[in-house]
Amino acid sequence: MSGSNGETPAPRGGVLGILKRLDDGLSVIERQLLGWSIVIMAVNTVANVIMRLVFSSSIFFSEELNQFLIILVTFVGISEAARMGRHIRMSAFTDMLGPTASKIMMIIITTGTACLLFLLAWYSVDYVMSLIKSNRLTPALRIPYYFTVLWVPFGLTVTGIQFLFAAATNIFKPGTHLSYRVEDTFEAEDHHL
């Protein structure tokens, strides 16, 4: 049974209870990172505009800082989108299937997506390692360049975890679930037409 917004009630024990506790911890970290990053971006951008208008000079690190924060928001934000079932999906085919086939397809899709994200995370770790060896520094802040892309493997990994959570939810719970927290309500809405 799902709530009015499609969110599924929280399980109390077992595999899904453990997943819920892990997911809650990840969610707190991600939301803090996203919230503070957006606040810092806004303050940085406004300060840079004021500097340009008042002193006819930009803050030398403003653009570089915003690029770093955009990478962080993008790759941490994809996990939050996956958690809330707001990722892009092509559902025309699965919507035509019956409930059982749709559920099986969702398990295959979420597991496959998780595997792909873990593979991309592996490659991104390799890329970060190559940046560490190169000793490159960012032009303005003069910090190691790899600091700016550390969020890529983190974001891909936690998003992969979200899709594994979705696969486990579809295996252990009735109904078809877009994510660990969100049940696909299309079928229920379709029957009311």
Side-chain angles (χ1 to χ4, degrees), residues 1 12 17 49 75 89 108 130 143-144 146 161 172 187 190:
M1 174 169 293
R12 297 180 190 241
V49 167
F75 285 93
R89 64 189 187 108
I108 292 168
S130 73
I143 60 172
Y146 68 88
I161 291 168
F172 293 110
E187 292 174 15
D190 192 36

Side-chain angles (χ1 to χ4, degrees), residues 5-8 16 19 23 78-87 89 106 110 159 161-171 173-185:
N5 63 355
E7 281 198 37
T8 56
L16 293 179
L19 291 180
D23 185 51
I78 60 174
S79 177
E80 184 65 21
R83 173 181 294 107
M84 300 313 294
R86 302 222 173 167
H87 45 77
R89 64 189 187 108
M106 190 59 75
T110 53
T159 305
I161 291 168
Q162 287 302 320
F163 280 100
L164 279 183
F165 286 177
T169 302
N170 278 302
I171 290 169
K173 266 180 121 172
T176 303
H177 301 267
L178 300 176
S179 74
Y180 169 73
R181 295 180 181 219
V182 181
E183 185 173 358
D184 188 357
T185 57

Side-chain angles (χ1 to χ4, degrees), residues 123-136 146:
Y123 285 126
S124 67
V125 166
D126 190 44
Y127 177 66
V128 170
M129 297 306 288
S130 73
L131 289 176
I132 290 171
K133 291 176 187 171
S134 76
N135 292 322
R136 283 179 54 195
Y146 68 88

